[in-house]
Amino acid sequence: MGEARAGSLVAQLRRWLAEGRYAAGSRLAEETVAQDLGVSRTPVRLAFRTLAQEGLLESAGKRGYVVRAFSADDVRCAVEVRGALEGLAARRLCERGLDAATRALFEQCLADGDALLARGQLHADDIECWSALNARFHAALVAGAGSRVVADAIARNDHLPFASADSITFEAEQLGAETRKLQVAQMQHRLIVDALLAGEGARAEALVREHALIGVRYASLFGLRPVLDSGGLR
């Protein structure tokens, strides 16, 4: 894998945790995981902290981290809650209207997404670029709603496994399929912005709720292995 960038490394670890490569309740050793990924221990240590904040790992004190137990239903519910909350944010933003700064933030996110995807097929390290622009897009949506209640509720939900908009997984050996998935995500971003600019609150809310599902429901549409199945996490 080489000395991968932080975003792609975290995304790969999310995928492995979802697939059960590291069993729930097991302790993760930096050295072992670094060897699995082909990187040094330093980026793995940083990745562990990120995954702990997302609720995928739990601190075991001086013993490092252990894999948290969670079910497919837990993940689906958390993602649906985020979709509902971000959908509410989108509707409120429509009701308030977009100011120039918020409009500019969305337009820059769309431009950055177009530029990233214009090359045709992504490389593994491009996932970090997508993750950054995706985070900016969702942050602008929530901030634009002007509600601390909604923002705080989303922040709390983000600590549940795979609930955060930034909880992106990818299959390094399926970059073509992953590229197609991000092309759909970019189109959804564009449709959401179109609805926001048109002041169509109900449409914006519905689009945002659907967009939240791309990580847990769309895999099979692109020939990717599903992260979730009826029996729990794979």
Side-chain angles (χ1 to χ4, degrees):
M1 182 172 189
E3 198 65 28
R5 294 172 68 180
S8 58
L9 187 149
V10 172
Q12 182 65 64
L13 280 175
R14 287 193 196 102
R15 163 65 64 173
W16 284 354
L17 288 166
E19 293 174 343
R21 178 163 181 158
Y22 304 115
S26 62
R27 187 176 72 87
L28 291 188
E30 290 177 8
E31 184 174 358
T32 300
V33 175
Q35 290 174 352
D36 291 343
L37 290 165
V39 299
S40 68
R41 294 176 60 176
T42 299
V44 171
R45 185 178 306 118
L46 297 175
F48 282 1
R49 293 175 186 171
T50 297
L51 295 171
Q53 291 173 352
E54 295 176 4
L56 289 167
L57 302 179
E58 294 179 329
S59 175
K62 293 183 179 180
R63 298 180 65 248
Y65 295 91
V66 297
V67 179
R68 180 178 174 180
F70 51 91
S71 71
D73 283 343
D74 292 336
V75 173
R76 284 196 185 91
C77 187
V79 170
E80 289 173 358
V81 168
R82 175 169 64 82
L85 290 169
E86 289 191 342
L88 173 60
R91 179 159 55 81
R92 287 180 57 89
L93 178 51
C94 275
E95 293 169 354
R96 301 180 75 210
L98 279 70
D99 59 27
T102 302
R103 184 190 296 255
L105 282 172
F106 283 128
E107 290 176 348
Q108 187 60 58
C109 288
L110 293 178
D112 290 346
D114 286 343
L116 182 65
L117 294 166
R119 289 174 285 180
Q121 181 165 314
L122 301 178
H123 299 290
D125 285 348
D126 288 333
I127 194 68
E128 185 162 5
C129 296
W130 174 265
S131 179
L133 75 85
N134 188 62
R136 295 200 311 272
F137 183 94
H138 287 266
L141 182 68
V142 175
S147 171
R148 183 169 182 176
V149 173
V150 173
D152 286 349
I154 291 173
R156 288 192 295 272
N157 196 64
D158 281 350
H159 291 292
L160 299 175
F162 293 99
S164 170
D166 197 37
S167 293
I168 296 170
T169 67
F170 79 102
E171 295 184 46
E173 68 278 13
Q174 294 283 348
L175 285 179
E178 293 287 1
T179 299
R180 292 191 294 274
K181 185 176 72 175
L182 291 192
Q183 287 170 339
V184 170
Q186 171 72 356
M187 178 55 69
Q188 289 178 330
H189 281 180
R190 190 165 290 284
L191 291 170
I192 290 166
V193 173
D194 179 73
L196 292 172
L197 292 175
E200 298 171 342
R203 176 171 171 244
E205 181 174 9
L207 286 166
V208 169
R209 292 180 73 134
E210 179 64 22
H211 179 57
L213 299 175
I214 193 167
V216 298
R217 296 287 296 275
Y218 283 32
S220 61
L221 301 179
F222 304 101
L224 296 167
R225 291 171 293 171
V227 173
L228 305 172
D229 61 24
S230 60
L233 291 180
R234 294 180 44 152

